[in-house]
């Protein structure tokens, strides 16, 4: 029977610790965020992807203000270490998410890393990226007997509605 | 008094005339047994053409089977026996075989070394399988109609029109006895026809194909002028002038294209309607319609109900579409003037 408590109980603290300290954590997230803005889909560990998600969405919210905004430009130049991505952020990503109010990123789990550490991996992407979808949609075969019958049925109904209207 | 005796005499004369007419026309059972006998004789004769066993090589194509070489017997092995060499899945799910690109019924013996593909309902392009299934369901409907009525009434099966699957129902054209001209089927009679069809499906009878010369086909249908005309039509259309007969149980029929392997492949089968068309040369032409789905593609009862309601409507077939096209844009094309 275990008589001592385990030392890793967080007691309700939800903020993650990454790297060597808070500054190191921000620098790491900055690098990951730059990679995300450049490539629009990246693979990292689950914890890092989850942390970056918040900052990625906040960055897009700032970018939506436009590049004439002083604060937005400062944020963008701080968070993006490679300065050629700043125009991409304001001219490509911000217009893409004009109609979305939130939820610009998507995260999906991957198989664990092949190394000794077997770390939990995840893929993080900005929606609307040019790559094939993460969850491919499997379409039913349109030519099976039952689908052909249903197609005839649907056309018939459309015809009936058209003649009624 | 004189009138009464005269009436009785007339009655007796007409009764005897009717009886004589009925006796001259052979009963349905006799016709069936005669057709069966001719079919069996021709089948035995064709089998006897290969007295010694000669081997042929059949190479299978298909998912997971590419290049499998089977050594089969000439004139005896059928695509079904090739499937039996593979797995039970192939036996139960194959609908039609494609031998050197030609649709081949499952029970027809192979005559040469060839490459064969087994078609199922769930392929990426099951159009041929769907058409064959629709034709087989129409043939089954014809068989049910032939055997459903009492011996006093004649049933003349006309040609089953080639209907595309999107039209919603398969049709079987039939000309009933003139005494039944005013009869419209009630729901009860349609249900009893359905029950007859379900019994045939339950028996799981194979559709045996036989390619014959037109003369043999004319002998088979010697009692039916309408069928003989159909034989001549089909012989004219075929490139080699041969006619394919199919036998299911003890019913011999004619078909435009390959049929499915056995009746047990259908699971949901219903006879939906019997519409009267115009008066034709053989009497009042009627179109029996039905709806069916195979064992592998069963529909939920809500979907089935909707499709069945649609299948009750008359399907109009224009004479111009002989070989079934894949899918016309309009499900009910306007009828051409006949």
């Amino acid at each position: 029977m275990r008589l001592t408590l385990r030392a890793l109980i967080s007691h309700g603290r939800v903020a993650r610790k990454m790297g060597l300290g808070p500054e190191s954590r921000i620098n790491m997230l900055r690098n990951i965020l730059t990679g995300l803005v450049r490539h629009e889909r990246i693979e990292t560990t689950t914890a890092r992807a989850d942390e970056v998600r918040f900052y990625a969405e906040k960055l897009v919210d700032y970018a939506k203000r436009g590049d004439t905004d002083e604060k937005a430009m400062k944020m963008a130049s701080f968070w993006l270490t490679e300065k050629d991505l700043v125009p991409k952020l304001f001219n490509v990503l911000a217009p893409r998410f004009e109609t979305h109010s939130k939820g610009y990123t998507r995260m999906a789990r991957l198989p664990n890393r092949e190394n000794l550490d077997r770390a939990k991996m995840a893929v993080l992407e900005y929606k609307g990226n040019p790559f094939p979808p993460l969850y491919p949609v499997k379409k039913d075969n349109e030519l099976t007997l039952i689908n052909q019958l249903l197609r005839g049925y649907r056309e018939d109904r459309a015809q009936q509605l058209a003649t009624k209207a | 008094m004189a009138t009464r005796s005269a009436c009785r005499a007339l009655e007796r004369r007409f009764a005897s005339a009717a009886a004589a007419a009925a006796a001259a026309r052979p009963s349905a059972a006799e016709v069936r047994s005669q057709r069966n006998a001719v079919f069996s004789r021709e089948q035995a004769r064709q089998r006897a053409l290969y007295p010694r066993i000669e081997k042929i090589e059949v190479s299978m194509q298909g998912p997971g089977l590419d290049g499998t070489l089977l050594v089969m017997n000439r004139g005896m092995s059928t695509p079904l026996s090739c499937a039996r060499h593979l797995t039970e899945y192939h036996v139960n799910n194959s609908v039609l075989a494609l031998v050197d690109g030609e649709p081949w019924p499952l029970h027809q013996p192979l005559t040469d070394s060839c490459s064969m593909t087994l078609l199922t309902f769930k392929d990426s392009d099951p159009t041929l399988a769907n058409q064959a299934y629709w034709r087989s369901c129409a043939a089954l409907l014809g068989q049910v109609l032939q055997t459903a009525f009492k011996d006093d009434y004649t049933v003349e099966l006309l040609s089953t029109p080639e209907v595309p699957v999107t039209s919603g129902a398969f049709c079987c054209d039939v000309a009933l006895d003139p005494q039944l001209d005013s009869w419209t089927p009630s729901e009860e009679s349609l249900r009893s026809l359905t029950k007859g069809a379900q019994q045939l499906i339950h028996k799981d009878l194979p559709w045996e194909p036989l390619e014959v010369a037109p003369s043999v086909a004319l002998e088979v249908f010697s009692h039916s002028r309408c069928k003989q005309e159909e034989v001549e039509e089909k012989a004219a259309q075929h490139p080699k002038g041969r006619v394919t007969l199919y036998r299911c149980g003890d019913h011999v029929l004619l078909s435009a294209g390959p049929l499915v392997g056995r009746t047990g492949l259908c699971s949901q089968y219903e006879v939906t309607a019997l519409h009267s068309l115009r008066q034709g040369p053989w009497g009042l032409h009627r179109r029996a319609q039905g709806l069916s789905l195979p064992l592998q593609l069963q529909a939920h009862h809500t979907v089935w109900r909707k499709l069945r309601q649609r299948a009750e409507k008359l399907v109009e077939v224009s004479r111009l579409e002989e070989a079934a096209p894949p899918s016309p844009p309009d499900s009910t094309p306007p009828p051409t003037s006949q």
Side-chain angles (χ1 to χ4, degrees):
Chain A
M1 195 177 89
R2 200 154 50 89
L3 296 168
T4 53
L5 297 165
R6 290 183 60 169
L8 297 173
I9 306 176
S10 69
H11 288 288
R13 287 168 205 241
V14 295
R16 276 195 195 90
K17 288 187 209 173
M18 271 162 53
L20 309 165
E23 200 178 316
S24 163
R25 171 179 164 274
I26 290 288
N27 288 337
M28 271 174 77
L29 293 178
R30 215 173 10 162
N31 289 332
I32 297 171
L33 186 51
T34 308
L36 179 63
V37 170
R38 179 180 287 287
H39 299 110
E40 294 190 36
R41 185 188 279 180
I42 56 171
E43 273 181 34
T44 56
T45 58
T46 311
R48 287 177 201 169
D50 197 44
E51 288 285 298
V52 167
R53 239 185 141 175
F54 170 81
Y55 292 98
E57 305 211 341
K58 274 279 183 285
L59 188 66
V60 171
D61 284 329
Y62 270 108
K64 276 185 184 178
R65 291 198 203 176
D67 58 356
T68 44
D69 195 73
E70 193 51 55
K71 176 80 182 188
M73 190 46 89
K74 273 196 183 150
M75 278 291 176
S77 67
F78 173 77
W79 278 98
L80 297 171
T81 54
E82 291 156 23
K83 301 307 167 190
D84 53 329
L85 295 173
V86 174
K88 180 183 174 183
L89 177 71
F90 285 104
N91 302 333
V92 174
L93 291 182
R96 192 196 287 178
F97 298 120
E98 235 167 332
T99 47
H100 294 51
S101 67
K102 53 179 183 173
Y104 317 117
T105 56
R106 193 182 284 128
M107 193 167 101
R109 271 199 69 179
L110 288 175
N112 289 357
R113 210 194 257 151
E114 296 303 315
N115 298 354
L116 182 65
D117 65 1
R118 288 286 183 209
K120 269 166 95 164
M121 297 297 276
V123 60
L124 183 66
E125 63 165 15
Y126 272 122
K127 288 184 188 168
N129 63 70
F131 305 117
L134 282 176
Y135 296 103
V137 185
K138 192 150 187 247
K139 278 221 82 173
D140 248 352
N141 188 5
E142 187 51 46
L143 296 169
T144 55
L145 187 66
I146 191 167
N147 283 342
Q148 288 280 291
L149 285 170
L150 285 171
R151 181 179 148 202
Y153 175 80
R154 257 180 262 130
E155 285 172 0
D156 213 28
R157 289 279 289 207
Q159 220 178 35
Q160 272 179 4
L161 289 171
T163 48
K164 226 192 281 183
Chain B
M1 288 277 251
T3 47
R4 208 188 300 157
S5 53
C7 280
R8 239 178 277 142
L10 282 166
E11 248 180 56
R12 241 174 281 142
R13 205 181 302 162
F14 283 136
S16 62
R25 196 183 64 218
S27 75
E30 278 173 21
V31 172
R32 244 179 290 148
S33 59
Q34 182 257 338
R35 288 183 183 172
N36 227 339
V38 179
F39 190 96
S40 309
R41 195 189 70 209
E42 177 64 21
Q43 202 178 44
R45 186 197 73 87
Q46 285 198 3
R47 280 194 192 143
L49 290 173
Y50 303 96
R52 280 192 315 280
I53 295 182
E54 293 167 32
K55 293 295 188 185
I56 51 172
E57 289 184 349
V58 176
S59 92
M60 299 292 305
Q61 315 289 327
L65 293 174
D66 274 319
T68 312
L69 200 65
L70 295 168
V71 179
M72 313 298 288
N73 300 332
R74 188 194 292 271
M76 274 208 287
S77 310
T78 61
L80 191 71
S81 41
C82 296
R84 279 219 182 89
H85 278 288
L86 300 168
T87 62
E88 195 184 340
Y89 169 83
H90 289 103
V91 171
N92 292 342
N93 291 57
S94 44
V95 171
L96 209 59
L98 214 62
V99 168
D100 285 337
E102 203 191 299
W104 198 274
L106 279 183
H107 289 280
Q108 190 162 349
L110 298 162
T111 47
D112 260 318
S113 300
C114 53
S115 87
M116 188 168 83
T117 321
L118 289 168
L119 303 177
T120 67
F121 285 117
K122 295 194 177 170
D123 295 335
S124 42
D125 188 12
T127 331
L128 281 171
N130 293 348
Q131 278 169 17
Y133 182 74
W134 225 229
R135 241 175 271 132
S136 325
C137 291
L140 196 70
L141 185 53
Q143 183 171 354
V144 169
L145 285 167
Q146 185 102 71
T147 47
F149 291 92
K150 283 189 190 163
D151 269 345
D152 311 330
Y153 306 108
T154 48
V155 176
E156 201 56 76
L157 282 183
L158 311 168
S159 61
T160 48
E162 279 285 318
V163 189
V165 174
T166 39
S167 55
F170 50 83
C171 325
C172 182
D173 283 349
V174 69
L176 297 172
D177 201 270
Q179 295 167 40
L180 294 170
D181 265 356
S182 50
W183 171 75
T184 46
S186 62
E187 227 182 87
E188 276 297 314
S189 31
L190 288 177
R191 234 175 264 157
S192 61
L193 287 171
T194 307
K195 234 189 281 182
Q198 290 282 357
Q199 276 169 7
L200 281 174
I201 291 172
H202 189 71
K203 281 189 212 161
D204 201 11
L205 303 162
W207 263 296
E208 301 161 39
L210 196 66
E211 211 180 281
V212 296
S215 52
V216 181
L218 289 169
E219 195 195 328
V220 166
F221 296 114
S222 49
H223 291 290
S224 163
R225 185 65 223 145
C226 159
K227 280 283 185 198
Q228 287 183 331
E229 281 181 14
E230 211 189 309
V231 163
E232 278 151 27
E233 243 182 66
K234 294 233 155 63
Q237 281 169 7
H238 199 270
K240 280 189 253 175
R242 314 261 295 170
V243 169
T244 321
L245 297 173
Y246 288 87
R247 177 170 68 174
C248 179
D250 58 354
H251 179 251
V252 180
L253 59 123
L254 208 58
S255 177
L259 296 184
V260 175
R262 51 184 214 289
T263 54
L265 221 54
C266 331
S267 80
Q268 293 170 305
Y269 192 108
E270 265 190 61
V271 180
T272 45
L274 187 71
H275 294 283
S276 308
L277 304 174
R278 68 216 174 283
Q279 270 285 348
W282 309 106
L284 178 64
H285 284 208
R286 301 180 107 129
R287 180 162 285 162
Q289 288 178 198
L291 181 65
S292 169
L293 280 173
L295 206 58
Q296 292 93 14
L297 290 176
Q298 289 181 10
H300 192 254
H301 66 88
T302 47
V303 174
W304 177 258
R305 214 169 286 160
K306 295 196 164 95
L307 291 174
R308 194 198 180 290
Q309 219 178 22
R310 186 180 173 228
E312 283 165 15
K313 286 194 273 197
L314 178 63
V315 169
E316 286 152 0
V317 177
S318 61
R319 275 289 146 202
L320 295 170
E321 29 181 62
E322 288 280 275
S327 44
D330 207 12
S331 55
T332 49
T336 54
S337 56
Q338 293 253 344

